[in-house]
Amino acid sequence: MTATAPPRPHTPRPRPEAPAPVWTSSVLAPVAAGLATLFASTSLTGVVSGWAWFGYLLVAVVLIASTGLALRSLRAPTIVVGLAQLLVLLFLITGAFTTSGILKVIPGPDALEELRGVLAAAAEQIRVGLPPVEGTPPILCLVTIAIGLVAVLVDTLAVAAAAPAATGLVLLCVYAVPAALAEDMLPWWTFLLGAAAFAALLAVDGNHRHRRWRNREAPGLGNSASTLSAPVGVVAAAIAMGLVIGTAVTGIGTVGKLPGAEGTGRGGAGGFGVEPFTQLRGLLDQGENVELFKVYGMGADKRLLRAFTLDTYTPNKGWGLAQNGRAQQGVQANKGLPPAPGDDGAGPARDIRIEPTNWVDNWLPIYGAPRSINGLADNWLYDPVGGAVFTTTKQNAPAYTETASIKEPSKDQLRLDDARLAEVPQQFVQVDRVDPRVAAKAKQLTENESNNFDKAQAIWSFFTAQNGFVYDTKTADATDSDALADFILNGKRGFCEQYASAMAVMLRSVGIPSRVAIGFTSGTPKGDYLSISSEDAHAWVEVYFQTKGWVSFDPTPLLDGRAVVPPYLQTDTSSSATNDTQEVPSAPAPSAPATGTPRDPGADLGADGDGDQEKEEPLWPAILAGILGGLAAALTVVAIVRSRLRHRALMRPGASSAADREDNGFLDNQNVTNWLPLIAIGLWVAAFAFLAAWVSWWFALALVVVLGVLGTPTTIREIKRRLRLQKIASHSPAAADAAWRELMDECADRGLPLSDGDTVRVAGRKVVEKHRLDEEGRTGLRTVIGVVEKSWYSDLPSDDQELGPAFDEVRKSLKRNAPMSWKGRLFPRSLRRGKK
């Protein structure tokens, strides 16, 4: 018998899986790094009020990530990329927070000096302010610089150094600073966002690193989007455990316990009260910050909440009540109240509900001129002379509703309303043993003024940073035997009690009736109410006018956004407008820092807190940016989902025939939805441009120019590609020519320009050799060459049904074996050919 060789086993070669796109490690990494920085920055909600700062951070992070992506695509050294990112951040800071930059954005000596003043103002606001501080321009500048530097560092570690795990320490520091400064615990959701973003950053790196190991597929790490890499699984499990434990255990670093848990996360706070006197020297003991009141009905209005007033000055001690308050009298507060001075009862009134939370005292604070107070027991009295609601013993206060007139007079009305001293109670006029130097200073400030209002404003304007006054929780060391003269002429450092005491004495020394009011600043908006805490306790001055009654003047140079500057203390205020309707242009406030430093925007608001600002930025760019961003996000999601579904359809075993591939894939190119990625990118660019315009139109212009320079060649090339693919998919008579031109451009973009003098077959051999096409690509290329040759050199019709799938295989093979560099994507060489 003749031995026969055993049949050779036939092992079908598996269809090569589509590799992960090149941009998996080039685009996703900087995007994930930027999101991690932004999500970590949400911890700033505990120390900075509002959300204006987030818009600046978003622009900064986008500019930094885009700069890094563009320069790395050009293979720039890491040090060059980092320096360029820092330079872009400096341009942003210069354009947004200074006014003397070259072309608005390039920092020169004047701009750097101005920026130094801005940072000094931010440092001063932090030193004297209480978190959360208002988002003033200095604070916004400081936050943008700090988080911008973090963004550069995170981007460098995650992308350039390929060590995203190292960014965890940097991001942890972002949380550590607000957690250490904030009195309240940080909200739980900011930790959830930060953990999720860090997990995504690790997942992007893990998916890229471990997808292949020694040229083999790593176990358990397929290309399916549903497969979780190890970093995602570990971090997701940690987040889940943290949320479960957080619902049962008192929160550490969060606002009490997580949603669904019981308790407040704060120990039982004791009651809080205010003593009826001021001191001229000493240290402000702020103690623990405790919420005292919830105020409903004030909206965004910034008003001072008066608890009581002090009428008697004692040299070297301060202000207090005559006879220590024993002579104070009043009427029942829950009955009809007598008219307050300056209120004839004819103007509009507002209902304000005040709910005490940790207030234990014998005083109840009120706004403006009260007309009625509901919800109090009979033992609460109202003193129409002192303007206070009180009882004889300290007790827990009930919730009450005040109906009050909070209308403010105009500047011109006050100029014509000097008080007749004979009709003013003597306790508001008399002042004894005032140091002659203090009286002389008050006379010097007011000698050129003809009415009480201008005199009061002159003294009020004296207590500014320009004149050396500084807000501090401790007065300066004593250098003079008279505490008041020492504060006004020498130390010029202290807190609200010293400022209010000094101004009231100076007013009385020039014959103007005045008193010191003790109460609270406007508080912090929380939902539909204002939260007023122990750190809002404040003292200010009230000046008496004949028909307008007691009018507030706050001389304390606050820089933390708590200052309340009524419209009659603004410049260029309409003489006929009242508080309810008037527009208040910006004006220097007593809390304004030195020239060149942005001033607290709160000082530009009218008494209602919502007055127009002279230089108020329009909101329509931000609104339009939000709309465009929402549309871009929706189209992006649609494009990604469609791409994944198409990829799965092409990869399924039953889609191996040419007809199936054509139906499932290539003919998609003539569908309108194939243009979704380009439309989405255009919307994203427009959204970021309008967002940048909201900050500064110079940055919007710079952003459009940069993106235009980087994106225009790519966009033109992509449009040409899609138009040609559409001709191929629709079996156009020009399909073969479009396919060949597109192949030549694909090769040119990859560094292999094909000569028009080469024959089709010579050009094909160059493509195979240079780009190392695999078997699928070679088969497709032979088909494409055959169709092109028949189209060009034969009168016989070519089989253009095979052209689309074959050309698709050639393009896929090029992507697999000759990935295009980012330089080729951003600056396609094919555009230099000038071919259509």
Side-chain angles (χ1 to χ4, degrees), residues 445-710:
L445 294 172
T446 60
E447 60 185 354
N448 294 325
E449 309 299 343
S450 59
N451 58 81
N452 283 358
F453 171 76
D454 287 335
K455 291 179 180 179
Q457 187 178 33
I459 295 176
W460 171 79
S461 300
F462 171 65
F463 297 98
T464 62
Q466 288 90 337
N467 291 324
F469 286 92
V470 176
Y471 179 89
D472 202 342
T473 55
K474 185 181 183 302
T475 57
D477 294 336
T479 60
D480 196 290
S481 58
D482 188 272
L484 184 62
D486 195 20
F487 170 74
I488 294 174
L489 304 175
N490 302 321
K492 297 185 177 182
R493 180 179 295 272
F495 45 98
C496 58
E497 292 186 24
Q498 287 80 50
Y499 285 97
S501 298
M503 181 177 177
V505 170
M506 295 175 77
L507 287 169
R508 287 197 183 182
S509 70
V510 293
I512 300 176
S514 60
R515 65 189 185 188
V516 173
I518 304 295
F520 304 91
T521 55
S522 56
T524 304
K526 291 188 177 180
D528 60 344
Y529 68 91
L530 294 174
S531 175
I532 296 179
S533 70
S534 54
E535 291 181 342
D536 293 314
H538 195 48
W540 64 94
V541 176
E542 292 183 345
V543 179
Y544 186 78
F545 292 87
Q546 190 64 36
T547 63
K548 301 304 178 184
W550 292 102
V551 177
S552 298
F553 289 75
D554 184 3
T556 306
L558 294 174
L559 289 175
D560 58 0
R562 293 185 298 147
V564 178
V565 183
Y568 47 80
L569 292 177
Q570 304 282 342
T571 58
D572 299 328
T573 305
S574 171
S575 61
S576 60
T578 63
N579 177 68
D580 293 331
T581 59
Q582 89 185 82
E583 294 185 354
V584 183
S586 73
S591 58
T595 303
T597 301
R599 187 165 43 84
D600 177 7
D604 290 339
L605 295 177
D608 281 338
D610 58 354
D612 294 334
Q613 298 184 15
E614 185 179 18
K615 295 183 178 180
E616 183 180 4
E617 296 293 338
L619 290 178
W620 66 266
I623 296 174
L624 192 55
I627 295 174
L628 294 175
L631 291 175
L635 290 181
T636 301
V637 171
V638 171
I640 292 175
V641 171
R642 174 179 170 274
S643 177
R644 293 298 304 174
L645 293 176
R646 178 173 176 264
H647 178 76
R648 290 181 180 179
L650 290 173
M651 289 298 103
R652 71 173 186 262
S656 58
S657 68
D660 283 340
R661 293 185 206 169
E662 191 169 6
D663 290 340
N664 291 324
F666 198 78
L667 282 180
D668 248 359
N669 288 292
Q670 63 182 340
N671 196 311
V672 175
T673 57
N674 194 51
W675 295 85
L676 286 181
L678 282 179
I679 298 174
I681 291 173
L683 289 174
W684 279 121
V685 171
F688 282 120
F690 280 108
L691 184 62
W694 187 41
V695 176
S696 169
W697 70 270
W698 274 101
F699 282 111
L701 180 61
L703 182 64
V704 170
V705 170
V706 170
L707 293 179
V709 171
L710 295 177

Side-chain angles (χ1 to χ4, degrees), residues 740-758:
W740 189 249
R741 292 301 179 190
E742 179 59 27
L743 180 60
M744 295 181 72
D745 284 355
E746 288 276 359
C747 293
D749 294 340
R750 288 170 167 81
L752 179 62
L754 299 178
S755 173
D756 290 336
D758 292 338

Side-chain angles (χ1 to χ4, degrees), residues 271-294:
F272 182 92
V274 180
E275 297 297 332
F277 61 84
T278 67
Q279 57 183 359
L280 295 178
R281 284 181 175 146
L283 174 68
L284 177 61
D285 181 13
Q286 296 173 318
E288 181 185 8
N289 186 28
V290 179
E291 183 181 66
L292 304 179
F293 303 97
K294 294 180 178 180

Side-chain angles (χ1 to χ4, degrees), residues 350-354 365-370 372-373 400-404:
R350 181 180 298 187
D351 291 333
I352 307 167
R353 181 166 179 80
I354 303 175
I366 54 177
Y367 287 97
S372 66
I373 303 177
Y400 54 102
T401 300
E402 176 194 6
T403 301

